Amino acid sequence: MSPTIRLTVVQPEIRWCQLEENLRHLENLLEKAGDADLIVLPEMFATGFIFDDLATMAGGDRVQQWMQDTARAHGAAVMGSVAVRENDRWYNRLLLVEPNGKVQQYDKRHLFVKSPEPIFFKRGEQPVVFEYQGWRICPQVCYDLRFPLWSRNTYADGRFRYDILVYVANWPAARSEHWNALLKARAIENQAYVVAANCVGHDPQNLAYVGDSQVLDFQGVSVQTAPPGQECLLSVMLTQESLQRYRQTFPVWQDWDHPVGL
């Protein structure tokens, strides 16, 4: 296991339904990134949500190829979500693409009830933990944040289910208070790092996004937070030593309840 992992969290302004422009823009932003092991992008980073034109929103193979090219160019895994069609069903699929081309995936479980998302997409059925450089990473997408059982950490057979909980999102400014409070709660209750990538700007319905992308430690303390409303990159190094030391000195995991229903 690598004792450290270097993260770049990207907080971009998404050009809604303009796939190629978004990819070019992200390439320009990432030119300013330093060395990283993992690059985290927001939900639907290449297109945003355009429910009346899923084929345009998808990007599918084009976005995955871009992620593979970017991972190889930067020597870092790239993580973000894209609309994917599989067996005549659509999924909001989070991909982790490694520099060697390996792809791990997670399908968004909770589809936002106040949007058309549950009509057009099929929800994911399985919780997933990615393995990368010896770190265990639990991927989540946006609305999943409101459902703590789905992200519940566990301890069994001498190991924790995960070390890092990652949220990629299109989370609107109107509910920023919820975003910030719930991210902090997830870090504290699961004794894990939390990484959150959100976007800025406005969508076609003029809904505002201020970002609030951030990295929290296992006590819910901010490691780094993006300036609201501004495009930026966060560069953070996480360490196994401090995480494991805290888990040993404050072992509340010994009294965790067993998750129900997973």
Side-chain angles (χ1 to χ4, degrees):
M1 172 183 291
S2 173
T4 62
I5 186 168
R6 299 166 300 175
L7 306 179
T8 294
V9 180
V10 185
Q11 178 169 285
E13 180 177 349
I14 296 175
R15 281 68 169 165
W16 294 73
C17 212
Q18 298 181 50
L19 186 150
E20 293 298 336
E21 183 176 343
N22 283 314
L23 297 184
R24 285 194 296 271
H25 183 59
L26 287 166
E27 287 171 4
N28 291 335
L29 286 177
L30 288 170
E31 285 180 0
K32 304 170 186 176
D35 292 338
D37 301 304
L38 175 62
I39 298 167
V40 184
L41 302 166
E43 179 183 25
M44 297 292 179
F45 64 87
T47 59
F49 283 95
I50 307 293
F51 290 108
D52 59 355
D53 191 357
L54 282 176
T56 300
M57 184 170 69
D61 294 341
R62 170 70 180 107
V63 176
Q64 183 167 323
Q65 183 61 58
W66 180 88
M67 294 176 76
Q68 289 174 322
D69 293 343
T70 302
R72 186 167 52 252
H74 288 268
V78 179
M79 193 173 186
S81 92
V82 61
V84 173
R85 188 174 186 179
E86 185 177 278
N87 299 325
D88 293 324
R89 300 301 301 269
W90 288 91
Y91 296 88
N92 184 342
R93 179 163 292 171
L94 187 154
L95 302 176
L96 175 71
V97 180
E98 300 182 25
N100 63 7
K102 178 182 177 181
V103 178
Q104 302 181 63
Q105 67 183 47
Y106 160 73
D107 293 330
K108 184 177 181 180
R109 167 73 168 188
H110 300 94
L111 306 175
F112 188 43
V113 68
K114 287 180 65 63
S115 80
E117 192 177 24
I119 299 172
F120 292 101
F121 287 87
K122 180 177 173 57
R123 73 176 190 171
E125 298 296 336
Q126 297 296 328
V128 173
V129 171
F130 298 153
E131 295 268 2
Y132 181 62
Q133 293 191 350
W135 288 74
R136 296 172 64 78
I137 301 170
C138 179
Q140 304 271 283
V141 181
C142 203
Y143 192 44
D144 286 336
L145 176 60
R146 291 186 178 273
F147 304 92
L149 180 59
W150 191 244
S151 62
R152 185 68 53 83
N153 209 350
T154 56
Y155 183 84
D157 300 325
R159 70 186 308 187
F160 290 84
R161 179 172 168 244
Y162 62 80
D163 307 304
I164 306 172
L165 182 58
V166 175
Y167 289 95
V168 305
N170 280 185
W171 194 285
R175 291 182 285 278
S176 290
E177 292 279 351
H178 299 184
W179 167 259
N180 291 311
L182 292 172
L183 289 171
K184 183 181 288 286
R186 298 295 163 266
I188 295 168
E189 70 194 7
N190 292 301
Q191 293 197 303
Y193 291 109
V194 167
V195 176
N198 196 21
C199 61
V200 298
H202 292 78
D203 67 16
Q205 289 74 45
N206 206 34
L207 196 63
Y209 299 81
V210 295
D212 290 326
S213 300
Q214 56 197 276
V215 179
L216 302 169
D217 76 4
F218 32 80
Q219 298 192 68
V221 176
S222 175
V223 177
Q224 194 171 153
T225 301
Q230 298 181 31
E231 290 192 312
C232 69
L233 305 176
L234 301 181
S235 296
V236 175
M237 180 177 289
L238 307 182
T239 66
Q240 277 285 344
E241 180 183 2
S242 55
L243 172 63
Q244 300 305 338
R245 182 169 61 248
Y246 180 71
R247 286 170 167 176
Q248 291 167 8
T249 57
F250 195 64
V252 297
W253 49 268
Q254 294 180 0
D255 297 313
W256 280 343
D257 299 311
H258 293 291
V260 177
L262 291 184

